[in-house]
Amino acid sequence: MYFFKNEFIPAHDVHISPNDRGYYFGDGIYEVFRVYHGELYECDAHMDRLERTALEVKLTLPYSREQFVNILRELISRNSLTEGTVYLQITRGEASRAHPFPQTAEPVTLAYCNEVPRPLATIQHGIRAVTQPDIRWLRCDLKTLNLLPNVLAKQAALDRGVQEVILHREGIVTECSASNLMIVSQGELLTHPANNLILHGITRLVVLRIARSLSIPVREEAFTTDALLQADEAFITGTTMEITPVVEIDGRPIAGGTPGPIARQLQAEFERTFTK
Ligand code: PMP
């Protein structure tokens, strides 16, 4: 069951108009929520980010926060989802193709559930990554459609036989194609500051909160690709990937090619945030 344009309908009854601005321009915003035990994880943080993105791109949300949350909960319930994700997208609506905001178009909401298990194998064993220039725009803090650079980056990693790409702007590491990146260097946890060059990941927030609670020193500061390659540990954070160690970068092993102790400690604490 999907939610589309104000109603719950089967997937095959969802008909997207070719005039939807999401389709022409990528003129829309989205969120991906994690569902553990049938409940939305960090719902308020996701809604905060959705509202902030909407404001920044001048898209008037069609529902209140309470209405959105009720829709998502109803979707979870109608789909009997216990473990997975919920995708929520709002586009600026349907109008003939012209760049200016349409005068009359109504925003179009689409939401659906995915049954996705936790990626336990990669959480346990880690992934390999390559570095690549970050060619995205200067508002990576906004969770908008327009993901072509992310798609190209991810595919470039897969084409090179690894699972993820680590992006950098002139040697300064930003984030990955669909996750944030953290490294451990001399006992400190380092990650790019939450400015316009990265998405302010909800998992990033939770992990930083956990690290501080464990008295692990945290620095939200930019670091170079050289520092990355010399790091004692590296891991990515994201709603679907949770905390996934990166054990090899550009063909070089990190932390001896196995997940490091800080990553392990954070993973264990992270799990406690949703375990009943
Ligand atoms: N950066 C990018 C580019 C992403 O697409 C995502 C996934 N939404 C993240 C970081 C991680 O954010 P979150 O922890 O909220 O999933």
Side-chain angles (χ1 to χ4, degrees):
M1 201 59 108
Y2 278 41
F3 180 84
F4 182 62
K5 284 190 176 175
N6 225 9
E7 52 181 355
F8 293 94
I9 51 175
H12 59 257
D13 286 339
V14 174
H15 298 296
I16 311 282
S17 163
N19 276 330
D20 193 300
R21 288 175 65 91
Y23 183 59
Y24 281 138
F25 298 117
D27 187 356
I29 68 178
Y30 75 105
E31 271 300 327
V32 181
F33 299 73
R34 243 283 168 203
V35 174
Y36 295 115
H37 311 291
E39 284 170 20
L40 292 163
Y41 181 71
E42 289 287 336
C43 180
D44 283 344
H46 282 278
M47 288 308 300
D48 285 347
R49 185 168 66 186
L50 182 77
E51 288 173 3
R52 176 175 177 270
T53 295
L55 198 68
E56 293 285 315
V57 304
K58 302 180 167 65
L59 195 157
T60 308
L61 288 174
Y63 305 109
S64 68
R65 176 180 292 223
E66 200 190 345
Q67 286 172 321
F68 268 120
V69 174
N70 286 339
I71 290 165
L72 300 184
R73 290 199 177 129
E74 176 76 25
L75 199 60
I76 291 168
S77 154
R78 287 187 188 224
N79 288 283
S80 308
L81 183 72
T82 50
E83 289 260 323
T85 57
V86 175
Y87 180 77
L88 169 65
Q89 171 184 294
I90 304 111
T91 67
R92 206 181 301 276
E94 298 161 8
S96 56
R97 189 186 179 284
H99 288 60
F101 290 176
Q103 293 298 312
T104 52
E106 302 268 317
V108 173
T109 302
L110 169 73
Y112 59 86
C113 296
N114 275 317
E115 228 180 279
V116 215
R118 297 181 55 214
L120 294 176
T122 47
I123 287 174
Q124 171 97 38
H125 302 295
I127 55 168
R128 292 178 296 139
V130 288
T131 56
Q132 192 170 291
D134 189 343
I135 59 162
R136 298 173 302 162
W137 69 334
L138 296 174
R139 290 309 305 272
C140 296
D141 54 320
L142 304 179
K143 206 159 170 63
T144 66
L145 305 180
N146 293 308
L147 291 173
L148 189 54
N150 305 59
V151 167
L152 293 175
K154 180 72 170 187
Q155 191 58 43
L158 298 180
D159 291 346
R160 289 167 68 183
V162 303
Q163 295 94 334
E164 191 48 277
V165 63
I166 298 173
L167 304 171
H168 66 88
R169 287 191 195 255
E170 287 164 10
I172 299 292
V173 174
T174 51
E175 58 178 340
C176 300
S177 70
S179 54
N180 293 112
L181 183 84
M182 299 190 181
I183 61 169
V184 177
S185 183
Q186 295 170 347
E188 282 186 324
L189 190 60
L190 273 128
T191 195
H192 196 283
N195 62 11
N196 63 313
L197 299 182
I198 65 161
L199 188 80
H200 305 183
I202 308 302
T203 322
R204 175 188 180 281
L205 257 186
V206 174
V207 172
L208 292 181
R209 196 189 302 149
I210 292 172
R212 290 185 173 114
S213 78
L214 294 173
S215 303
I216 297 168
V218 170
R219 272 203 288 148
E220 292 181 64
E221 277 175 32
F223 55 87
T224 63
T225 45
D226 284 347
L228 169 70
L229 293 172
Q230 285 160 20
D232 299 323
E233 295 185 35
F235 51 90
I236 62 171
T237 65
T239 292
T240 47
M241 296 304 285
E242 298 186 2
I243 302 171
T244 296
V246 181
V247 295
E248 184 194 292
I249 302 172
D250 291 343
R252 298 197 218 172
I254 301 291
T258 54
I262 304 264
R264 285 277 181 255
Q265 200 184 358
L266 292 168
Q267 285 176 331
E269 284 301 311
F270 182 76
E271 217 168 288
R272 285 159 59 106
T273 65
F274 57 80
T275 308
K276 295 218 164 183

